[in-house]
Amino acid sequence: MEEIELERQGVVYASTVVRVSSPAGIKAPYAYGYVDLPANQLRVFALFTGADPGSFVPGRKVEVVLEPIGADTEGNAVIGYKFRPVSG
Amino acid sequence: MRDVYIIGAGMTQFGKHLERSLRDLGREACLLAFRDAGIAPKEVEAGYCGNALAPAIQGETGVGQNVFWEVGISGIPIVNVENACASGSTALREGWMAVAGGFYNVVMITGVEKAVMPKGTMLNVGAGELATKLGEVFPGYFATIAQKHMERFGTTREQMAQVSVKNHIHGALNPYAQFQKKFTLEEVLKSPMIADPLTLFSCCPNSDGAAALILCSKEKARKLNGRAIRIAASVLATGTYENQRDITNWEVEIRAAQQAYKMASLGPEDLDVVEVHDAFTICEILHYEGLGLCPLGEGGRLIEERATELGGSIPVNPSGGLLSKGHPVGASGVAQVVEIVWHLRGQAGERQVEGAKVGLADMMGGNKEGDTRACTVHILVKE
């Protein structure tokens, strides 16, 4: 096993807006999908943030950001990765 | 390898059975299969039970032993099979292999599930997966597939909704279906959005129910009722989880279907009736293509042309499919085959596909890495 560093920017491959709250505790509506990281030839599952949920159409450029994604059973924030639109 | 025949088939109505237990539902299905086959429980040499969610929902394990004991079966080998939505169909394949391989002459298959959830909640399964922890839900995965299919092939929301309209027309003819109610295209499209572009009536319900089959060798079938249906192919395949694959088709399904056609020495053009895993409307369109009922990308056109309705050139999901018949997860794969058996015997009532001689049942189970964990294909032939 070898650890590699992934590029921080990618392109939305596919997306959806979920209109019902998830069992993982995320309030609707929320957007997720798959982001392609071309330099790594890798596709990752990702929640989207920082823009209208319906705006993460395939082809949109996005970048990774660390954010709370929920809380554990003891109320501690759980930090995860999300993708937001590339700024500028 | 020996030929294997289905000599008994039975199922409960699918739906909400809030007052009934897993073993109660399983017992009903097994007793119906025994009555149909005209054999006694003591003739069964091994039992296979498909169930996916009892450990998570009811906190119950060993469902197979519980159900089979309800019909007086103990002592023999009993196997519990979990393969997500393909649990029941994988149990069928295990039983088929055991008879085909000469280990037993008579085996029983059952699939049973109680998956009705409180209103407004979704099944929380796959909790070990990162994507699930992050918020992935079943409808969302299929919604991304729908988005890409629309983008690549021009498939429309109306074509997808037509799958639900068709399957509810069929389900309205099936006394075993959870919903016996038709919907208009408009009603499907305007039902609440779950995960864009999939609306509520584009998603199958959570259901309770059970189904059962009895399989036997050719010699045993000869001595029985003369209505035996041959299993011409039984295939199980697993996804490759290819990271950057095109999600507008399931390679695993194309591969499983090709293996099944080869095993049966038949092709998609030989099929008279098909049952597929329409957990969401877009799935049925992908299955048309994966099974070769039409070329890749033309599934939307096939539903629009009404080819897959009863009376069309290749009826798909005459039972109503998961969308209308319901989806008690571990039972669904067995129930599909029960339905095909009924059509091949001419016992499917108002929804009968006239003169059906060859049928196919296609089931997919579980998502992993944007791919499918399990895919089963069974081809049945009336001789």
Side-chain angles (χ1 to χ4, degrees), chain B residues 210-275:
Chain B
L213 292 163
I214 299 171
L215 313 187
C216 74
S217 61
K218 192 172 195 168
E219 292 70 32
K220 180 75 180 172
R222 275 209 191 108
K223 294 175 197 155
L224 290 166
N225 52 28
R227 296 182 307 174
I229 299 295
R230 184 167 62 90
I231 300 178
S234 177
V235 171
L236 169 64
T238 298
T240 55
Y241 324 126
E242 184 63 43
N243 178 254
Q244 288 193 297
R245 67 189 191 87
D246 174 2
I247 63 170
T248 60
N249 64 70
W250 281 299
E251 177 276 335
V252 58
E253 178 178 48
I254 295 170
R255 183 158 37 92
Q258 291 306 317
Q259 280 179 31
Y261 290 137
K262 193 175 172 199
M263 189 181 284
S265 299
L266 294 167
E269 66 282 358
D270 297 311
L271 303 176
D272 299 311
V273 56
V274 174
E275 285 275 312

Short mmCIF file of all heavy atoms in Angstrom, two decimals, chain B residues 210-275:
data_model
loop_
_atom_site.label_atom_id
_atom_site.label_comp_id
_atom_site.label_asym_id
_atom_site.label_seq_id
_atom_site.Cartn_x
_atom_site.Cartn_y
_atom_site.Cartn_z
N ALA B 210 -43.02 -12.94 0.99
CA ALA B 210 -42.19 -14.14 0.86
C ALA B 210 -42.57 -14.89 -0.40
O ALA B 210 -43.70 -14.75 -0.91
CB ALA B 210 -42.37 -15.05 2.07
N ALA B 211 -41.62 -15.65 -0.92
CA ALA B 211 -41.85 -16.48 -2.10
C ALA B 211 -41.06 -17.77 -1.93
O ALA B 211 -40.09 -17.80 -1.16
CB ALA B 211 -41.41 -15.75 -3.36
N ALA B 212 -41.48 -18.83 -2.62
CA ALA B 212 -40.79 -20.12 -2.47
C ALA B 212 -40.85 -20.91 -3.77
O ALA B 212 -41.79 -20.77 -4.56
CB ALA B 212 -41.42 -20.92 -1.33
N LEU B 213 -39.82 -21.73 -3.96
CA LEU B 213 -39.72 -22.60 -5.13
C LEU B 213 -39.23 -23.97 -4.67
O LEU B 213 -38.48 -24.06 -3.70
CB LEU B 213 -38.69 -22.05 -6.12
CG LEU B 213 -39.04 -20.73 -6.84
CD1 LEU B 213 -37.78 -20.13 -7.45
CD2 LEU B 213 -40.10 -20.97 -7.91
N ILE B 214 -39.64 -25.01 -5.38
CA ILE B 214 -39.08 -26.34 -5.16
C ILE B 214 -38.43 -26.80 -6.45
O ILE B 214 -39.04 -26.73 -7.53
CB ILE B 214 -40.17 -27.34 -4.69
CG1 ILE B 214 -40.76 -26.86 -3.36
CG2 ILE B 214 -39.57 -28.74 -4.53
CD1 ILE B 214 -41.99 -27.62 -2.91
N LEU B 215 -37.16 -27.20 -6.34
CA LEU B 215 -36.40 -27.66 -7.51
C LEU B 215 -36.17 -29.15 -7.40
O LEU B 215 -36.06 -29.70 -6.30
CB LEU B 215 -35.02 -26.98 -7.58
CG LEU B 215 -34.90 -25.47 -7.39
CD1 LEU B 215 -33.46 -25.05 -7.68
CD2 LEU B 215 -35.87 -24.73 -8.25
N CYS B 216 -36.03 -29.81 -8.55
CA CYS B 216 -35.70 -31.23 -8.51
C CYS B 216 -34.97 -31.66 -9.77
O CYS B 216 -34.88 -30.91 -10.75
CB CYS B 216 -36.96 -32.08 -8.28
SG CYS B 216 -37.99 -32.20 -9.72
N SER B 217 -34.48 -32.87 -9.73
CA SER B 217 -33.78 -33.47 -10.86
C SER B 217 -34.80 -33.90 -11.92
O SER B 217 -35.99 -33.98 -11.66
CB SER B 217 -32.98 -34.67 -10.39
OG SER B 217 -33.89 -35.63 -9.86
N LYS B 218 -34.29 -34.22 -13.10
CA LYS B 218 -35.15 -34.64 -14.20
C LYS B 218 -35.94 -35.92 -13.85
O LYS B 218 -37.14 -36.01 -14.13
CB LYS B 218 -34.29 -34.89 -15.44
CG LYS B 218 -35.05 -35.06 -16.72
CD LYS B 218 -34.08 -35.10 -17.90
CE LYS B 218 -34.80 -34.90 -19.21
NZ LYS B 218 -33.86 -34.65 -20.31
N GLU B 219 -35.25 -36.86 -13.22
CA GLU B 219 -35.90 -38.15 -12.88
C GLU B 219 -37.08 -37.91 -11.95
O GLU B 219 -38.15 -38.48 -12.12
CB GLU B 219 -34.89 -39.11 -12.20
CG GLU B 219 -33.78 -39.61 -13.10
CD GLU B 219 -32.78 -38.51 -13.47
OE1 GLU B 219 -32.56 -37.59 -12.65
OE2 GLU B 219 -32.26 -38.55 -14.61
N LYS B 220 -36.85 -37.07 -10.95
CA LYS B 220 -37.91 -36.77 -9.99
C LYS B 220 -39.06 -36.03 -10.69
O LYS B 220 -40.24 -36.32 -10.46
CB LYS B 220 -37.34 -35.92 -8.85
CG LYS B 220 -38.33 -35.53 -7.78
CD LYS B 220 -38.65 -36.69 -6.86
CE LYS B 220 -39.66 -36.27 -5.79
NZ LYS B 220 -40.12 -37.42 -5.01
N ALA B 221 -38.72 -35.09 -11.55
CA ALA B 221 -39.75 -34.29 -12.24
C ALA B 221 -40.64 -35.18 -13.09
O ALA B 221 -41.85 -34.96 -13.18
CB ALA B 221 -39.08 -33.22 -13.11
N ARG B 222 -40.06 -36.17 -13.71
CA ARG B 222 -40.83 -37.09 -14.56
C ARG B 222 -41.95 -37.78 -13.79
O ARG B 222 -43.00 -38.09 -14.34
CB ARG B 222 -39.89 -38.18 -15.11
CG ARG B 222 -39.17 -37.74 -16.37
CD ARG B 222 -38.85 -38.97 -17.24
NE ARG B 222 -37.94 -38.58 -18.30
CZ ARG B 222 -36.65 -38.93 -18.32
NH1 ARG B 222 -36.14 -39.69 -17.37
NH2 ARG B 222 -35.86 -38.51 -19.29
N LYS B 223 -41.68 -38.05 -12.50
CA LYS B 223 -42.66 -38.79 -11.69
C LYS B 223 -43.77 -37.89 -11.16
O LYS B 223 -44.72 -38.37 -10.55
CB LYS B 223 -41.95 -39.44 -10.49
CG LYS B 223 -40.97 -40.53 -10.88
CD LYS B 223 -40.23 -41.03 -9.64
CE LYS B 223 -38.98 -41.80 -10.04
NZ LYS B 223 -37.96 -41.80 -8.98
N LEU B 224 -43.61 -36.57 -11.37
CA LEU B 224 -44.57 -35.65 -10.76
C LEU B 224 -45.62 -35.13 -11.73
O LEU B 224 -45.98 -35.80 -12.68
CB LEU B 224 -43.82 -34.52 -10.05
CG LEU B 224 -43.09 -35.03 -8.79
CD1 LEU B 224 -42.08 -34.03 -8.30
CD2 LEU B 224 -44.11 -35.33 -7.69
N ASN B 225 -46.06 -33.89 -11.50
CA ASN B 225 -47.29 -33.41 -12.13
C ASN B 225 -47.22 -33.06 -13.62
O ASN B 225 -48.22 -32.66 -14.19
CB ASN B 225 -47.78 -32.18 -11.35
CG ASN B 225 -46.67 -31.14 -11.20
OD1 ASN B 225 -45.78 -31.07 -12.04
ND2 ASN B 225 -46.74 -30.36 -10.14
N GLY B 226 -46.04 -33.17 -14.23
CA GLY B 226 -45.96 -32.89 -15.66
C GLY B 226 -45.98 -31.43 -16.02
O GLY B 226 -46.10 -31.07 -17.19
N ARG B 227 -45.84 -30.55 -15.01
CA ARG B 227 -45.82 -29.12 -15.30
C ARG B 227 -44.46 -28.53 -15.01
O ARG B 227 -44.32 -27.34 -14.78
CB ARG B 227 -46.88 -28.41 -14.46
CG ARG B 227 -48.30 -28.81 -14.79
CD ARG B 227 -49.25 -28.01 -13.95
NE ARG B 227 -48.91 -28.11 -12.52
CZ ARG B 227 -49.50 -27.43 -11.56
NH1 ARG B 227 -50.45 -26.59 -11.87
NH2 ARG B 227 -49.14 -27.58 -10.30
N ALA B 228 -43.43 -29.39 -14.95
CA ALA B 228 -42.11 -28.92 -14.55
C ALA B 228 -41.54 -27.94 -15.57
O ALA B 228 -41.73 -28.10 -16.77
CB ALA B 228 -41.17 -30.10 -14.38
N ILE B 229 -40.87 -26.92 -15.06
CA ILE B 229 -40.24 -25.89 -15.89
C ILE B 229 -38.73 -26.03 -15.73
O ILE B 229 -38.22 -26.06 -14.60
CB ILE B 229 -40.68 -24.48 -15.43
CG1 ILE B 229 -42.20 -24.30 -15.56
CG2 ILE B 229 -39.92 -23.39 -16.18
CD1 ILE B 229 -42.75 -24.36 -16.97
N ARG B 230 -38.00 -26.10 -16.84
CA ARG B 230 -36.56 -26.33 -16.76
C ARG B 230 -35.80 -25.01 -16.55
O ARG B 230 -36.13 -23.99 -17.17
CB ARG B 230 -36.06 -27.00 -18.05
CG ARG B 230 -34.57 -27.37 -18.01
CD ARG B 230 -34.22 -28.31 -19.15
NE ARG B 230 -34.46 -27.70 -20.45
CZ ARG B 230 -33.55 -26.98 -21.13
NH1 ARG B 230 -32.35 -26.78 -20.61
NH2 ARG B 230 -33.85 -26.47 -22.31
N ILE B 231 -34.82 -25.06 -15.67
CA ILE B 231 -33.92 -23.91 -15.50
C ILE B 231 -32.81 -24.07 -16.53
O ILE B 231 -31.92 -24.90 -16.38
CB ILE B 231 -33.34 -23.84 -14.08
CG1 ILE B 231 -34.47 -23.72 -13.04
CG2 ILE B 231 -32.37 -22.67 -13.95
CD1 ILE B 231 -33.99 -23.70 -11.59
N ALA B 232 -32.88 -23.29 -17.60
CA ALA B 232 -31.94 -23.44 -18.71
C ALA B 232 -30.63 -22.70 -18.45
O ALA B 232 -29.61 -23.00 -19.06
CB ALA B 232 -32.57 -22.95 -20.01
N ALA B 233 -30.68 -21.71 -17.55
CA ALA B 233 -29.45 -21.00 -17.20
C ALA B 233 -29.60 -20.38 -15.82
O ALA B 233 -30.68 -19.92 -15.45
CB ALA B 233 -29.15 -19.90 -18.21
N SER B 234 -28.50 -20.40 -15.08
CA SER B 234 -28.45 -19.75 -13.77
C SER B 234 -27.07 -19.14 -13.62
O SER B 234 -26.07 -19.86 -13.63
CB SER B 234 -28.71 -20.77 -12.66
OG SER B 234 -28.59 -20.15 -11.38
N VAL B 235 -27.01 -17.83 -13.55
CA VAL B 235 -25.71 -17.14 -13.53
C VAL B 235 -25.68 -16.13 -12.38
O VAL B 235 -26.66 -15.44 -12.11
CB VAL B 235 -25.48 -16.40 -14.87
CG1 VAL B 235 -24.25 -15.50 -14.79
CG2 VAL B 235 -25.34 -17.41 -16.01
N LEU B 236 -24.55 -16.07 -11.72
CA LEU B 236 -24.29 -15.03 -10.72
C LEU B 236 -22.97 -14.35 -11.08
O LEU B 236 -21.98 -15.03 -11.33
CB LEU B 236 -24.17 -15.66 -9.32
CG LEU B 236 -23.64 -14.75 -8.20
CD1 LEU B 236 -24.58 -13.59 -7.91
CD2 LEU B 236 -23.41 -15.57 -6.92
N ALA B 237 -22.98 -13.04 -11.15
CA ALA B 237 -21.75 -12.30 -11.44
C ALA B 237 -21.62 -11.14 -10.45
O ALA B 237 -22.60 -10.69 -9.87
CB ALA B 237 -21.78 -11.76 -12.87
N THR B 238 -20.40 -10.70 -10.26
CA THR B 238 -20.10 -9.60 -9.34
C THR B 238 -19.45 -8.46 -10.12
O THR B 238 -18.71 -8.72 -11.07
CB THR B 238 -19.17 -10.10 -8.22
OG1 THR B 238 -19.85 -11.12 -7.50
CG2 THR B 238 -18.79 -8.99 -7.25
N GLY B 239 -19.74 -7.23 -9.73
CA GLY B 239 -19.17 -6.06 -10.40
C GLY B 239 -17.65 -6.03 -10.29
O GLY B 239 -17.06 -6.69 -9.43
N THR B 240 -17.03 -5.25 -11.17
CA THR B 240 -15.57 -5.13 -11.16
C THR B 240 -15.14 -3.86 -10.44
O THR B 240 -13.96 -3.66 -10.17
CB THR B 240 -15.02 -5.06 -12.60
OG1 THR B 240 -15.68 -3.98 -13.28
CG2 THR B 240 -15.28 -6.36 -13.33
N TYR B 241 -16.11 -2.98 -10.13
CA TYR B 241 -15.86 -1.71 -9.44
C TYR B 241 -14.87 -0.83 -10.22
O TYR B 241 -14.14 -0.03 -9.62
CB TYR B 241 -15.37 -1.92 -7.99
CG TYR B 241 -16.01 -3.10 -7.30
CD1 TYR B 241 -15.22 -4.11 -6.73
CD2 TYR B 241 -17.40 -3.24 -7.24
CE1 TYR B 241 -15.81 -5.20 -6.12
CE2 TYR B 241 -17.98 -4.33 -6.63
CZ TYR B 241 -17.19 -5.31 -6.07
OH TYR B 241 -17.75 -6.40 -5.46
N GLU B 242 -14.85 -0.99 -11.52
CA GLU B 242 -13.99 -0.16 -12.38
C GLU B 242 -14.28 1.31 -12.07
O GLU B 242 -15.41 1.78 -12.24
CB GLU B 242 -14.32 -0.50 -13.84
CG GLU B 242 -13.47 0.18 -14.87
CD GLU B 242 -12.00 -0.20 -14.78
OE1 GLU B 242 -11.70 -1.40 -14.59
OE2 GLU B 242 -11.17 0.73 -14.86
N ASN B 243 -13.27 2.02 -11.60
CA ASN B 243 -13.49 3.34 -11.02
C ASN B 243 -14.06 4.37 -11.99
O ASN B 243 -14.95 5.13 -11.64
CB ASN B 243 -12.18 3.85 -10.41
CG ASN B 243 -12.30 5.25 -9.83
OD1 ASN B 243 -11.81 6.21 -10.40
ND2 ASN B 243 -13.00 5.37 -8.70
N GLN B 244 -13.57 4.40 -13.21
CA GLN B 244 -14.00 5.47 -14.12
C GLN B 244 -14.88 4.96 -15.26
O GLN B 244 -14.86 5.49 -16.36
CB GLN B 244 -12.79 6.22 -14.66
CG GLN B 244 -12.14 7.07 -13.58
CD GLN B 244 -11.14 8.05 -14.14
OE1 GLN B 244 -10.14 7.66 -14.71
NE2 GLN B 244 -11.44 9.33 -14.00
N ARG B 245 -15.66 3.91 -14.94
CA ARG B 245 -16.48 3.34 -16.02
C ARG B 245 -17.66 4.26 -16.36
O ARG B 245 -18.05 5.13 -15.57
CB ARG B 245 -16.97 1.95 -15.60
CG ARG B 245 -17.93 1.97 -14.47
CD ARG B 245 -18.26 0.61 -13.92
NE ARG B 245 -19.39 0.79 -13.03
CZ ARG B 245 -20.64 0.77 -13.44
NH1 ARG B 245 -20.93 0.52 -14.69
NH2 ARG B 245 -21.63 1.00 -12.59
N ASP B 246 -18.21 4.01 -17.53
CA ASP B 246 -19.40 4.71 -17.99
C ASP B 246 -20.60 4.13 -17.21
O ASP B 246 -20.92 2.95 -17.35
CB ASP B 246 -19.54 4.46 -19.50
CG ASP B 246 -20.84 5.02 -20.07
OD1 ASP B 246 -21.61 5.64 -19.32
OD2 ASP B 246 -21.05 4.81 -21.28
N ILE B 247 -21.27 4.95 -16.40
CA ILE B 247 -22.33 4.41 -15.54
C ILE B 247 -23.67 4.29 -16.26
O ILE B 247 -24.68 3.97 -15.63
CB ILE B 247 -22.49 5.21 -14.21
CG1 ILE B 247 -22.92 6.64 -14.48
CG2 ILE B 247 -21.23 5.13 -13.38
CD1 ILE B 247 -23.32 7.40 -13.20
N THR B 248 -23.70 4.53 -17.57
CA THR B 248 -24.98 4.39 -18.28
C THR B 248 -25.30 2.94 -18.63
O THR B 248 -26.32 2.66 -19.25
CB THR B 248 -25.01 5.23 -19.58
OG1 THR B 248 -23.96 4.78 -20.46
CG2 THR B 248 -24.83 6.69 -19.28
N ASN B 249 -24.40 2.03 -18.30
CA ASN B 249 -24.77 0.60 -18.40
C ASN B 249 -24.05 -0.13 -17.29
O ASN B 249 -23.12 0.40 -16.67
CB ASN B 249 -24.42 0.02 -19.77
CG ASN B 249 -22.93 0.03 -20.03
OD1 ASN B 249 -22.17 -0.71 -19.43
ND2 ASN B 249 -22.48 0.92 -20.92
N TRP B 250 -24.52 -1.37 -17.03
CA TRP B 250 -23.86 -2.20 -16.02
C TRP B 250 -23.12 -3.32 -16.75
O TRP B 250 -23.74 -4.27 -17.24
CB TRP B 250 -24.88 -2.79 -15.05
CG TRP B 250 -25.34 -1.83 -14.01
CD1 TRP B 250 -24.58 -1.20 -13.06
CD2 TRP B 250 -26.69 -1.40 -13.78
NE1 TRP B 250 -25.38 -0.40 -12.26
CE2 TRP B 250 -26.66 -0.51 -12.67
CE3 TRP B 250 -27.91 -1.69 -14.38
CZ2 TRP B 250 -27.81 0.10 -12.17
CZ3 TRP B 250 -29.05 -1.08 -13.89
CH2 TRP B 250 -29.01 -0.20 -12.79
N GLU B 251 -21.81 -3.18 -16.78
CA GLU B 251 -20.98 -4.22 -17.43
C GLU B 251 -21.27 -5.58 -16.83
O GLU B 251 -21.32 -6.59 -17.54
CB GLU B 251 -19.50 -3.82 -17.28
CG GLU B 251 -18.51 -4.81 -17.84
CD GLU B 251 -18.18 -5.95 -16.87
OE1 GLU B 251 -18.31 -5.75 -15.63
OE2 GLU B 251 -17.81 -7.03 -17.34
N VAL B 252 -21.49 -5.62 -15.52
CA VAL B 252 -21.73 -6.90 -14.84
C VAL B 252 -23.00 -7.57 -15.37
O VAL B 252 -23.08 -8.79 -15.51
CB VAL B 252 -21.79 -6.71 -13.30
CG1 VAL B 252 -22.86 -5.72 -12.89
CG2 VAL B 252 -22.03 -8.03 -12.59
N GLU B 253 -24.00 -6.77 -15.69
CA GLU B 253 -25.26 -7.33 -16.19
C GLU B 253 -25.10 -7.84 -17.64
O GLU B 253 -25.60 -8.91 -17.98
CB GLU B 253 -26.36 -6.26 -16.15
CG GLU B 253 -27.68 -6.77 -16.70
CD GLU B 253 -28.79 -5.74 -16.61
OE1 GLU B 253 -28.56 -4.58 -17.00
OE2 GLU B 253 -29.87 -6.09 -16.14
N ILE B 254 -24.40 -7.06 -18.45
CA ILE B 254 -24.15 -7.48 -19.84
C ILE B 254 -23.40 -8.82 -19.82
O ILE B 254 -23.74 -9.76 -20.54
CB ILE B 254 -23.35 -6.40 -20.59
CG1 ILE B 254 -24.20 -5.12 -20.69
CG2 ILE B 254 -22.91 -6.89 -21.96
CD1 ILE B 254 -23.44 -3.90 -21.19
N ARG B 255 -22.41 -8.90 -18.95
CA ARG B 255 -21.59 -10.11 -18.84
C ARG B 255 -22.45 -11.29 -18.35
O ARG B 255 -22.39 -12.39 -18.90
CB ARG B 255 -20.46 -9.81 -17.84
CG ARG B 255 -19.46 -10.90 -17.63
CD ARG B 255 -18.13 -10.33 -17.08
NE ARG B 255 -18.26 -9.24 -16.13
CZ ARG B 255 -18.32 -9.40 -14.80
NH1 ARG B 255 -18.30 -10.59 -14.26
NH2 ARG B 255 -18.41 -8.33 -14.01
N ALA B 256 -23.26 -11.07 -17.31
CA ALA B 256 -24.10 -12.15 -16.76
C ALA B 256 -25.12 -12.62 -17.81
O ALA B 256 -25.36 -13.82 -17.96
CB ALA B 256 -24.83 -11.67 -15.51
N ALA B 257 -25.71 -11.67 -18.53
CA ALA B 257 -26.71 -12.03 -19.54
C ALA B 257 -26.08 -12.86 -20.65
O ALA B 257 -26.64 -13.87 -21.09
CB ALA B 257 -27.36 -10.77 -20.12
N GLN B 258 -24.90 -12.44 -21.10
CA GLN B 258 -24.22 -13.20 -22.17
C GLN B 258 -23.91 -14.62 -21.72
O GLN B 258 -24.08 -15.58 -22.48
CB GLN B 258 -22.94 -12.48 -22.61
CG GLN B 258 -23.20 -11.16 -23.35
CD GLN B 258 -24.14 -11.32 -24.54
OE1 GLN B 258 -24.03 -12.28 -25.32
NE2 GLN B 258 -25.11 -10.43 -24.67
N GLN B 259 -23.46 -14.75 -20.47
CA GLN B 259 -23.18 -16.10 -19.92
C GLN B 259 -24.45 -16.93 -19.90
O GLN B 259 -24.44 -18.12 -20.23
CB GLN B 259 -22.64 -16.00 -18.49
CG GLN B 259 -21.17 -15.65 -18.39
CD GLN B 259 -20.74 -15.56 -16.92
OE1 GLN B 259 -21.28 -16.24 -16.06
NE2 GLN B 259 -19.78 -14.70 -16.64
N ALA B 260 -25.55 -16.31 -19.50
CA ALA B 260 -26.82 -17.03 -19.39
C ALA B 260 -27.32 -17.47 -20.77
O ALA B 260 -27.76 -18.61 -20.95
CB ALA B 260 -27.87 -16.17 -18.69
N TYR B 261 -27.24 -16.56 -21.73
CA TYR B 261 -27.69 -16.92 -23.09
C TYR B 261 -26.85 -18.08 -23.64
O TYR B 261 -27.36 -18.99 -24.27
CB TYR B 261 -27.58 -15.70 -24.02
CG TYR B 261 -28.59 -14.62 -23.73
CD1 TYR B 261 -28.22 -13.27 -23.74
CD2 TYR B 261 -29.93 -14.92 -23.48
CE1 TYR B 261 -29.14 -12.26 -23.48
CE2 TYR B 261 -30.86 -13.92 -23.22
CZ TYR B 261 -30.45 -12.59 -23.22
OH TYR B 261 -31.36 -11.61 -22.97
N LYS B 262 -25.55 -18.03 -23.36
CA LYS B 262 -24.67 -19.10 -23.84
C LYS B 262 -25.03 -20.43 -23.18
O LYS B 262 -25.14 -21.47 -23.84
CB LYS B 262 -23.21 -18.71 -23.54
CG LYS B 262 -22.20 -19.58 -24.27
CD LYS B 262 -20.79 -19.09 -24.02
CE LYS B 262 -19.81 -20.11 -24.62
NZ LYS B 262 -18.47 -19.95 -24.06
N MET B 263 -25.27 -20.38 -21.87
CA MET B 263 -25.60 -21.60 -21.13
C MET B 263 -26.90 -22.21 -21.65
O MET B 263 -27.04 -23.43 -21.74
CB MET B 263 -25.73 -21.25 -19.64
CG MET B 263 -25.87 -22.43 -18.71
SD MET B 263 -26.06 -21.91 -16.98
CE MET B 263 -24.42 -21.43 -16.54
N ALA B 264 -27.86 -21.34 -21.99
CA ALA B 264 -29.17 -21.82 -22.42
C ALA B 264 -29.23 -22.08 -23.93
O ALA B 264 -30.22 -22.62 -24.42
CB ALA B 264 -30.24 -20.78 -22.05
N SER B 265 -28.17 -21.72 -24.64
CA SER B 265 -28.17 -21.78 -26.12
C SER B 265 -29.38 -21.02 -26.67
O SER B 265 -30.07 -21.49 -27.59
CB SER B 265 -28.18 -23.23 -26.62
OG SER B 265 -27.03 -23.91 -26.17
N LEU B 266 -29.64 -19.87 -26.08
CA LEU B 266 -30.75 -19.01 -26.50
C LEU B 266 -30.24 -17.57 -26.58
O LEU B 266 -29.16 -17.27 -26.08
CB LEU B 266 -31.91 -19.08 -25.49
CG LEU B 266 -32.63 -20.42 -25.35
CD1 LEU B 266 -33.51 -20.41 -24.11
CD2 LEU B 266 -33.47 -20.72 -26.59
N GLY B 267 -31.03 -16.71 -27.19
CA GLY B 267 -30.66 -15.29 -27.23
C GLY B 267 -31.83 -14.44 -26.84
O GLY B 267 -32.94 -14.95 -26.62
N PRO B 268 -31.62 -13.12 -26.72
CA PRO B 268 -32.71 -12.24 -26.30
C PRO B 268 -33.92 -12.34 -27.23
O PRO B 268 -35.06 -12.14 -26.80
CB PRO B 268 -32.09 -10.84 -26.34
CG PRO B 268 -30.76 -10.98 -27.02
CD PRO B 268 -30.35 -12.40 -26.92
N GLU B 269 -33.68 -12.67 -28.52
CA GLU B 269 -34.78 -12.78 -29.48
C GLU B 269 -35.69 -13.97 -29.16
O GLU B 269 -36.82 -14.04 -29.68
CB GLU B 269 -34.23 -12.88 -30.91
CG GLU B 269 -33.44 -14.15 -31.23
CD GLU B 269 -32.00 -14.14 -30.67
OE1 GLU B 269 -31.60 -13.13 -30.06
OE2 GLU B 269 -31.30 -15.17 -30.82
N ASP B 270 -35.22 -14.89 -28.35
CA ASP B 270 -36.03 -16.08 -28.02
C ASP B 270 -36.95 -15.86 -26.82
O ASP B 270 -37.78 -16.71 -26.49
CB ASP B 270 -35.11 -17.27 -27.70
CG ASP B 270 -34.27 -17.67 -28.90
OD1 ASP B 270 -34.85 -17.82 -29.99
OD2 ASP B 270 -33.04 -17.80 -28.75
N LEU B 271 -36.79 -14.74 -26.12
CA LEU B 271 -37.54 -14.53 -24.87
C LEU B 271 -38.99 -14.14 -25.15
O LEU B 271 -39.26 -13.35 -26.06
CB LEU B 271 -36.88 -13.43 -24.03
CG LEU B 271 -35.40 -13.65 -23.66
CD1 LEU B 271 -34.87 -12.42 -22.92
CD2 LEU B 271 -35.23 -14.91 -22.80
N ASP B 272 -39.89 -14.69 -24.34
CA ASP B 272 -41.31 -14.33 -24.44
C ASP B 272 -41.75 -13.42 -23.30
O ASP B 272 -42.70 -12.66 -23.43
CB ASP B 272 -42.17 -15.60 -24.40
CG ASP B 272 -41.87 -16.53 -25.56
OD1 ASP B 272 -41.84 -16.05 -26.71
OD2 ASP B 272 -41.64 -17.73 -25.31
N VAL B 273 -41.08 -13.54 -22.15
CA VAL B 273 -41.49 -12.78 -20.97
C VAL B 273 -40.25 -12.57 -20.09
O VAL B 273 -39.40 -13.46 -19.96
CB VAL B 273 -42.64 -13.50 -20.21
CG1 VAL B 273 -42.26 -14.92 -19.83
CG2 VAL B 273 -43.06 -12.73 -18.97
N VAL B 274 -40.16 -11.36 -19.52
CA VAL B 274 -38.97 -10.98 -18.76
C VAL B 274 -39.39 -10.28 -17.47
O VAL B 274 -40.33 -9.48 -17.47
CB VAL B 274 -38.07 -10.03 -19.60
CG1 VAL B 274 -36.90 -9.52 -18.79
CG2 VAL B 274 -37.58 -10.73 -20.87
N GLU B 275 -38.71 -10.61 -16.38
CA GLU B 275 -38.86 -9.87 -15.12
C GLU B 275 -37.52 -9.24 -14.78
O GLU B 275 -36.49 -9.94 -14.79
CB GLU B 275 -39.29 -10.82 -13.99
CG GLU B 275 -40.74 -11.25 -14.06
CD GLU B 275 -41.70 -10.25 -13.41
OE1 GLU B 275 -41.43 -9.80 -12.28
OE2 GLU B 275 -42.71 -9.91 -14.05
#
